[in-house]
């Protein structure tokens, strides 16, 4: 076997190509080391080594970055290019096996073996090779122009394989694999495999091209038919309209869009014109343009800012709620002042508070100054009229009323919309309401704003920050529109049931107006003025002369509904009217239709009383004390029971109490233990007993610190055996020193005490400033005691004072201040003076 010839020549690493022996290839040299190597090769005899890089991104490859087999090349031409680049034409001479690669000098040198070209094995069939090459030439016109089948047959088999491999479009690694085969037979098999892959790829491309051509032919056919139909209709005189593109462009020009939106719409229209009408992209673009054109960019409702009319509408729709109505009228007054100033600045006439602006329907219409201030948020129990108040405000202002229910919304896209890249995307609900309103200045009610949630899809409350911020909503960005839309003229109102459920950043943008429950007198007035007329009309009973006696309505309020609002009362009235309606069409035997609803008829129509009245008794068992609690639906009377059992000094708490209330119970017991002797108890009174405190109803969770004085009073009552006053209720937070701290929800708690028939109430002294929020009717009928220390509570709540142990009798503190009528003197009290 002959020893391979060793060569030491200049070497150039090449990227993204493989040079085969016998092939001619042009390439560009630009790296400084490669340029100097090329110059050396020309001086040394025009031969160099061409070595392919494994990774084309490597700028300065080493020996490990090059394939081990390369090509000996002859430089045939060199053309100088700008910026020190050269275009070089080379011809492959033979295969070389790299031995040493040296790039440490100014030029690159390599030592390699020149590999001999073997002879083809005897008996090797060339028919598959010739057939594959002929098929390749048939599908590749560029290759067939460079070479013919006759030339392939005349070449030696090894050179023919190398020549065809250089022409086949393939990956560098696939071509390098053919170059590295020295033996003819495996080299031929690798080439046939490569030609097979090229044939398969060509079949796929041909199939795709055929389907694309068919689709284009179909679209062209549709276009031609549509054009012919348009011309025929035009000739028949049935249509004389502009084409779709021109019509859309005219609509965009006339819509009064902002500069940004107009530019976006025209750009989208240009894209739509370039698309086939039946394509999915065209449908998306057309839907987007329809949304832009449907929005009220300039149209304004003819607003009415007449305070007298607004007050009339609010009084007509709602009884009571005087402070809420006053705050709403103040809000409208500021809007009217701003409007008057704007009209005066424009040279218009400003008279009083009634200044309706003209309808602005184009870019030239007047711009209106938006009221920059907090958004009103109505917070209160269900059924107190929050949503109907917002509807009345819209009616008073003559603005369209739009309601956005946020209960259970947990996706940010509900507010901001989806981006158009998603299938089935559409704008958010804010933009959808603006489209429905058809004007820029509707009243939008954000209902149940405290019931939003957040999860992996985003936080809708964060998206509302931009909507409700007057500094930002002038250019509200909906993800679908992707252009700013002006919401500054929209009057936003919000409602909620529980204030502390509103996210803090969102609450900071709201001005909260508290709507507490109604008194019995207010409920009766609402029923007579609003609920009954509406129910009679809704049940087709207006002409039947149906009348409810005042006592019957009061019976419904007291015995069948126990709520802060009037929603259940409306249901009970409707229940009665349904039974009367049936009686008019299907009368019972022997009974004539009676339109009068008396107190006696109410149980016959509705069944037994649903709510048993908690009657006030002269005395209650020791350990039973009335407390007051706040709930999202209003105030409630909370009866606390304490019992003394044989045991070892343990305190047991039941009634599904929260952590704060359990701490209040332990604190109350510590207070009692600290003042045991003054309360007539021995220091070791807990050694042989257990105390059990229960708060009905056991299935309802309860928590909060405001039951502190009630728990302490119940423990003192059961330990001393002295009953507490049954006609009295109390609320207040207790400290270890006996101080009484203020509480929240005073109005709701006093309404509950009044509703449940209690005549006296103990409240913290520091809550006196909140009494003005309580209706005068409730304050007049309750004896309200302001207390600041637990000693005062003991004097007022127990039927008699405990007798202290020992000779030292503590001084009796001053009698606390009493607001309202004096509490009735209890016959069993030893100290009647404390009942003042």
């Amino acid at each position: 076997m002959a020893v391979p010839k060793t060569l030491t020549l200049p070497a150039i690493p090449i990227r993204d190509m493989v040079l085969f022996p016998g092939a001619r290839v042009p390439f560009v040299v630009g790296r400084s080391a490669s340029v100097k190597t090329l110059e050396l090769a020309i001086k040394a005899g025009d031969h160099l080594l061409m070595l392919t890089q494994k990774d084309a991104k490597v700028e300065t490859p080493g020996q490990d970055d090059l394939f081990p087999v390369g090509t000996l090349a002859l430089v045939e031409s060199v053309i100088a290019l700008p910026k020190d680049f050269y275009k070089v034409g080379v011809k492959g001479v033979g295969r070389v096996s790299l031995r040493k690669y040296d790039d440490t000098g100014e030029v690159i040198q390599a030592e390699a073996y020149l590999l001999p070209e073997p002879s083809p094995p005897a008996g090797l069939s060339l028919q598959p090779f010739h057939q594959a090459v002929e098929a390749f030439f048939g599908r590749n016109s560029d290759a067939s122009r460079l070479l013919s089948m006759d030339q392939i047959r005349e070449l030696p088999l090894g050179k023919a394989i190398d020549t065809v491999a250089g022409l086949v479009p393939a990956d560098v690694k696939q071509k390098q694999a053919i170059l590295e085969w020295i033996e003819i037979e495996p080299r031929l098999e690798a080439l046939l495999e490569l030609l097979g892959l090229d044939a398969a790829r060509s079949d796929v491309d041909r199939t795709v091209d055929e389907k694309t051509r068919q689709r284009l032919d179909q679209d062209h056919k549709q276009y031609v038919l549509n054009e012919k139909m348009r011309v025929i209709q035009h000739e028949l005189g049935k249509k004389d309209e502009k084409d779709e593109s021109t019509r859309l462009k005219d609509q965009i020009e006339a819509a009064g869009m902002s500069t940004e939106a107009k530019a976006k719409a025209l750009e989208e229209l240009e894209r739509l014109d370039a698309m086939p009408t039946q394509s999915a992209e065209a449908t998306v673009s057309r839907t987007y343009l329809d949304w832009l054109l449907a929005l009220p960019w300039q149209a304004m409702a003819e607003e009415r800012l007449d305070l007298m009319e607004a007050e009339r509408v609010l009084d007509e729709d709602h009884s009571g709620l005087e402070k809420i109505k006053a705050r709403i009228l103040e809000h409208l007054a500021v809007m009217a002042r701003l409007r008057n100033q704007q009209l005066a600045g424009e040279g218009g006439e400003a008279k009083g508070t009634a200044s309706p602006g003209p309808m602005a329907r184009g870019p030239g219409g007047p711009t209106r100054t938006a009221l920059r201030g907090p958004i009103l948020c109505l917070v209160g129990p269900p059924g107190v009229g929050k949503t109907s108040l917002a509807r009345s405000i819209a009616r008073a202002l003559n603005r369209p009323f739009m309601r956005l229910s946020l209960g259970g919304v947990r996706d940010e896209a509900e507010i901001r919309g989806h981006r158009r890249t998603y299938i089935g995307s559409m704008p958010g609900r804010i933009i959808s309401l603006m489209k429905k309103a058809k004007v820029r200045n509707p009243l939008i009610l954000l209902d149940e704003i405290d019931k939003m949630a957040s999860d992996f899809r985003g936080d809708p409350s964060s998206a509302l920050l931009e909507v409700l911020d007057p500094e930002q909503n002038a250019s509200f960005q909906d993800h679908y529109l992707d252009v700013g839309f002006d919401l500054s003229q929209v009057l936003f109102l919000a409602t909620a049931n529980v204030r502390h459920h509103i996210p803090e950043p969102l609450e900071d943008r709201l001005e909260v107006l508290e709507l507490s429950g109604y008194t019995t007198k207010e409920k009766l007035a609402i029923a007579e003025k609003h609920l009954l007329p509406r129910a009679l009309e809704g049940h087709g009973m207006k002409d039947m002369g149906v009348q409810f006696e005042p006592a019957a309505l009061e019976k419904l309020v007291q015995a069948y509904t126990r709520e802060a609002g009037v929603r259940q009362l409306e249901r009970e009235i409707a229940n009665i009217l349904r039974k009367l309606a049936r009686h008019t069409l299907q009368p019972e035997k022997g009974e004539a239709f009676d339109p009068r609803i008396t107190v006696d008829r109410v149980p016959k129509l509705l069944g037994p009383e649903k709510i048993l009245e908690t009657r006030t008794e002269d005395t209650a068992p020791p350990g039973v004390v009335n407390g007051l609690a706040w709930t999202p639906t209003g105030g409630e009377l909370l009866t606390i029971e304490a019992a003394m059992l044989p045991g070892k000094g343990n305190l047991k708490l039941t009634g599904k109490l929260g952590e704060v209330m359990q701490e209040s119970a332990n604190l109350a017991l510590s207070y009692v233990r600290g003042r045991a002797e003054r309360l007539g108890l021995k220091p070791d009174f807990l050694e042989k007993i257990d105390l059990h405190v229960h708060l009905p109803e056991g299935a309802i969770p309860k928590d909060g610190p405001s039951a502190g004085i009630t728990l302490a009073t119940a423990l003192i009552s059961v330990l001393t055996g002295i009953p507490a006053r049954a006609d009295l209720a109390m609320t207040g937070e207790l400290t270890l020193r006996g101080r009484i701290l203020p509480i929240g929800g005073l109005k709701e708690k006093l309404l509950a005490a009044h509703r449940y028939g209690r005549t006296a109430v103990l409240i913290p002294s520091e809550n006196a400033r909140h009494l003005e929020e309580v209706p005068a009717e409730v304050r007049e009928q309750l004896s309200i005691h302001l207390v600041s220390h637990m000693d005062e509570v003991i004097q007022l709540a127990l039927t008699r004072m405990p007798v202290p142990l020992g000779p030292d009798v503590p001084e009796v503190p001053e009698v606390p201040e009493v607001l309202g009528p004096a509490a009735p003197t209890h016959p069993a009290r030893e100290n009647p003076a404390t009942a003042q």
Side-chain angles (χ1 to χ4, degrees):
M1 180 177 179
V3 178
K5 183 179 178 180
T6 303
L7 302 173
T8 302
L9 292 171
I12 294 181
I14 55 177
R15 294 183 281 196
D16 294 327
M17 62 176 290
V18 176
L19 177 62
F20 285 91
R24 285 183 170 86
V25 176
F27 65 97
V28 177
V29 176
R31 290 185 284 200
S32 59
S34 298
V35 171
K36 293 179 180 179
T37 303
L38 177 63
E39 294 172 352
L40 176 63
I42 295 173
K43 293 178 183 179
D46 295 339
H47 281 86
L48 52 78
L49 299 178
M50 306 287 290
L51 304 168
T52 303
Q53 293 182 201
K54 295 178 181 177
D55 187 355
K57 297 179 181 179
V58 178
E59 287 296 328
T60 57
Q63 185 167 347
D64 293 337
D65 299 317
L66 302 172
F67 286 108
V69 177
T71 306
L72 173 64
L74 174 65
V75 179
E76 293 184 331
S77 64
V78 178
I79 301 174
L81 299 177
K83 298 183 180 180
D84 296 331
F85 280 76
Y86 291 90
K87 183 176 182 182
V88 184
V90 297
K91 177 184 177 181
V93 176
R95 285 174 172 79
V96 294
S97 176
L98 180 63
R99 179 180 180 186
K100 183 179 180 182
Y101 181 81
D102 183 9
D103 60 348
T104 57
E106 291 186 359
V107 297
I108 304 172
Q109 296 273 359
E111 182 180 330
Y113 295 121
L114 180 61
L115 300 176
E117 182 70 19
S119 299
L124 181 62
S125 175
L126 301 181
Q127 185 178 0
F129 171 61
H130 292 157
Q131 290 177 347
V133 174
E134 188 172 2
F136 171 66
F137 285 163
R139 62 178 177 267
N140 194 315
S141 59
D142 293 337
S144 62
R145 283 197 297 266
L146 296 174
L147 209 60
S148 66
M149 278 302 301
D150 292 337
Q151 291 174 312
I152 292 295
R153 290 189 179 96
E154 291 176 359
L155 291 174
L157 181 56
K159 289 186 178 181
I161 294 173
D162 291 341
T163 302
V164 174
L167 297 175
V168 178
D171 185 68
V172 170
K173 292 183 179 179
Q174 293 174 324
K175 289 193 172 186
Q176 180 68 28
I178 297 177
L179 180 66
E180 292 181 0
W181 280 112
I182 308 303
E183 293 80 6
I184 297 296
E185 189 171 4
R187 193 192 311 176
L188 177 59
E189 291 177 357
L191 176 60
L192 291 176
E193 182 180 356
L194 194 60
L195 289 172
L197 292 175
D198 181 74
R201 183 168 56 249
S202 298
D203 290 341
V204 173
D205 291 341
R206 186 170 57 255
T207 302
V208 172
D209 291 342
E210 179 64 23
K211 291 184 177 179
T212 303
R213 186 186 62 79
Q214 292 177 359
R215 179 66 179 271
L216 291 176
D217 290 345
Q218 181 66 26
D219 291 341
H220 179 69
K221 177 182 176 182
Q222 186 73 24
Y223 171 77
V224 171
L225 291 175
N226 287 335
E227 284 299 307
K228 286 185 177 181
M229 182 65 70
R230 185 181 65 82
V231 173
I232 292 171
Q233 290 178 344
H234 177 72
E235 292 297 327
L236 292 175
K238 293 184 177 180
K239 266 193 175 182
D240 188 15
E241 297 181 353
K242 302 177 182 179
D243 61 11
E244 186 74 5
S245 178
T246 305
R247 186 177 63 84
L248 286 174
K249 186 174 182 180
D250 292 343
Q251 289 181 356
I252 292 171
E253 295 289 345
M257 299 181 185
S258 63
T259 304
E260 179 189 16
K262 183 177 179 181
K264 186 75 173 178
L266 293 175
E267 178 186 349
E268 198 68 26
L269 179 59
E270 185 177 349
R271 292 182 65 247
L272 179 62
D273 291 340
M275 298 177 189
T277 56
Q278 303 301 320
S279 66
E281 293 82 0
T283 303
V284 173
S285 294
R286 180 55 195 266
T287 304
Y288 177 70
L289 287 175
D290 289 342
W291 269 102
L292 286 179
L293 292 172
L295 290 176
W297 296 96
Q298 295 294 334
M300 297 280 285
E302 187 175 354
E303 190 175 41
R304 180 176 57 238
L305 288 175
D306 188 340
L307 294 189
M308 298 296 293
E309 175 65 14
E311 186 174 9
R312 185 193 67 78
V313 170
L314 291 176
D315 290 338
E316 179 181 311
D317 293 348
H318 298 85
S319 297
L321 304 175
E322 300 303 329
K323 290 187 177 181
I324 303 299
K325 292 178 185 176
R327 178 62 187 87
I328 293 172
L329 292 174
E330 292 168 5
H331 194 76
L332 300 184
V334 175
M335 295 175 63
R337 292 293 304 171
L338 289 174
R339 179 62 47 78
N340 290 343
Q341 289 179 6
Q342 182 179 7
L343 291 178
E346 295 172 354
E349 184 179 3
K351 295 181 180 181
T353 60
S355 304
M359 181 79 74
R361 293 195 177 274
T367 57
R368 302 190 176 185
T369 303
L371 174 58
R372 294 183 177 272
I375 310 299
L376 296 183
C377 179
L378 308 176
V379 177
V384 296
K386 301 183 294 297
T387 304
S388 60
L389 260 177
R391 199 182 300 273
S392 298
I393 296 172
R395 186 162 74 93
L397 293 176
N398 195 36
R399 291 193 181 199
F401 175 76
M402 298 288 120
R403 176 176 171 270
L404 174 57
S405 178
L406 296 172
V409 172
R410 58 181 63 246
D411 190 353
E412 179 193 359
E414 292 282 341
I415 307 298
R416 290 189 178 274
H418 299 83
R419 299 193 183 277
R420 282 190 292 146
T421 53
Y422 295 103
I423 297 176
S425 60
M426 61 184 301
R429 295 167 70 176
I430 297 292
I431 294 298
S432 298
L433 288 179
M434 295 301 297
K435 175 188 175 183
K436 186 177 179 181
K438 299 181 181 179
V439 292
R440 289 175 54 201
N441 60 337
L443 185 149
I444 295 182
L445 175 66
L446 305 175
D447 209 6
E448 309 290 355
I449 202 170
D450 59 329
K451 294 180 176 59
M452 288 185 295
S454 61
D455 59 11
F456 64 93
R457 289 168 288 190
D459 185 359
S461 65
S462 299
L464 278 179
L465 297 180
E466 181 184 2
V467 175
L468 299 182
D469 193 337
E471 300 295 333
Q472 302 179 41
N473 63 9
S475 58
F476 171 68
Q477 288 282 340
D478 185 274
H479 288 159
Y480 181 84
L481 297 184
D482 200 26
V483 294
F485 188 82
D486 186 6
L487 298 178
S488 61
Q489 302 296 330
V490 179
L491 178 58
F492 287 102
L493 295 178
T495 68
N497 292 133
V498 184
R499 179 172 183 173
H500 63 266
H501 287 173
I502 303 174
E504 187 174 348
L506 191 57
E507 185 183 359
D508 185 58
R509 286 163 170 77
L510 304 174
E511 180 176 341
V512 177
L513 302 181
E514 299 278 357
L515 280 77
S516 301
Y518 296 110
T519 64
T520 301
K521 182 178 179 181
E522 290 173 337
K523 289 182 180 180
L524 295 176
I526 292 171
E528 292 177 358
K529 292 182 181 179
H530 306 288
L531 302 185
L532 272 176
R534 187 166 61 198
L536 289 172
E537 183 177 358
H539 290 78
M541 305 283 288
K542 289 183 66 175
D543 57 344
M544 300 300 296
V546 177
Q547 295 181 350
F548 280 73
E549 292 185 353
L553 286 177
E554 187 172 356
K555 180 78 169 179
L556 288 178
V557 172
Q558 297 290 349
Y560 291 88
T561 65
R562 188 58 59 87
E563 57 179 344
V566 293
R567 191 168 291 162
Q568 184 62 31
L569 176 60
E570 186 174 13
R571 293 192 188 102
E572 297 298 341
I573 292 175
N575 195 0
I576 291 177
L577 293 182
R578 285 196 300 271
K579 296 182 183 301
L580 294 180
R582 179 185 175 185
H583 185 71
T584 59
L585 301 177
Q586 191 180 12
E588 298 180 8
K589 295 181 180 180
E591 291 189 15
F593 174 72
D594 186 359
R596 290 186 310 108
I597 307 301
T598 62
V599 178
D600 297 332
R601 289 191 67 189
V602 171
K604 297 178 181 178
L605 293 170
L606 298 181
E609 297 180 2
K610 297 180 180 179
I611 298 173
L612 298 177
E613 183 178 358
T614 304
R615 298 182 179 180
T616 303
E617 302 177 358
D618 292 341
T619 59
V624 179
V625 181
N626 297 317
L628 296 172
W630 178 92
T631 69
T633 59
E636 288 293 334
L637 188 72
L638 195 65
T639 302
I640 296 180
E641 302 174 347
M644 188 168 54
L645 308 168
K648 299 180 180 180
N650 297 322
L651 175 62
K652 185 177 182 180
L653 304 173
T654 56
K656 209 169 185 180
L657 308 186
E659 183 178 350
V660 176
M661 188 167 283
Q662 294 181 30
E663 292 177 354
S664 294
N666 284 285
L667 187 148
L669 181 58
S670 298
Y671 173 80
V672 173
R673 293 176 62 186
R675 302 180 66 86
E677 294 188 3
R678 293 190 179 187
L679 296 173
L681 303 174
K682 295 181 180 181
D684 58 349
F685 71 94
L686 277 178
E687 288 187 358
K688 296 182 180 180
I689 63 170
D690 284 344
L691 293 173
H692 184 174
V693 177
H694 177 66
L695 277 75
E697 301 164 350
I700 299 176
K702 311 168 190 70
D703 203 2
S706 60
I709 66 172
T710 315
L711 291 165
T713 304
L715 291 175
I716 294 172
S717 174
V718 71
L719 289 170
T720 60
I722 303 174
R725 290 176 54 186
D727 64 333
L728 178 141
M730 63 185 73
T731 180
E733 182 178 356
L734 180 65
T735 69
L736 281 172
R737 294 178 293 164
R739 288 187 57 211
I740 299 176
L741 303 181
I743 46 86
L746 180 66
K747 179 180 178 180
E748 290 82 356
K749 292 177 180 180
L750 293 185
L751 288 176
H754 176 263
R755 188 167 65 242
Y756 282 92
R758 297 303 179 264
T759 58
V761 179
L762 306 184
I763 66 172
S765 301
E766 296 183 35
N767 282 112
R769 62 185 184 276
H770 299 133
L771 286 172
E772 62 179 14
E773 302 174 0
V774 182
E777 171 195 355
V778 176
R779 296 200 306 266
E780 292 170 359
Q781 297 183 20
L782 285 178
S783 176
I784 303 174
H785 301 267
L786 303 177
V787 292
S788 59
H789 197 275
M790 191 62 201
D791 289 343
E792 303 169 5
V793 175
I794 295 172
Q795 292 184 62
L796 294 168
L798 299 183
T799 54
R800 57 183 175 83
M801 288 295 294
V803 179
L805 297 179
D808 297 329
V809 179
E811 296 181 0
V812 177
E814 296 182 3
V815 178
E817 182 181 359
V818 182
L819 302 178
T825 303
H826 197 285
R829 288 181 66 91
E830 294 186 353
N831 189 1
T834 60
Q836 297 179 3

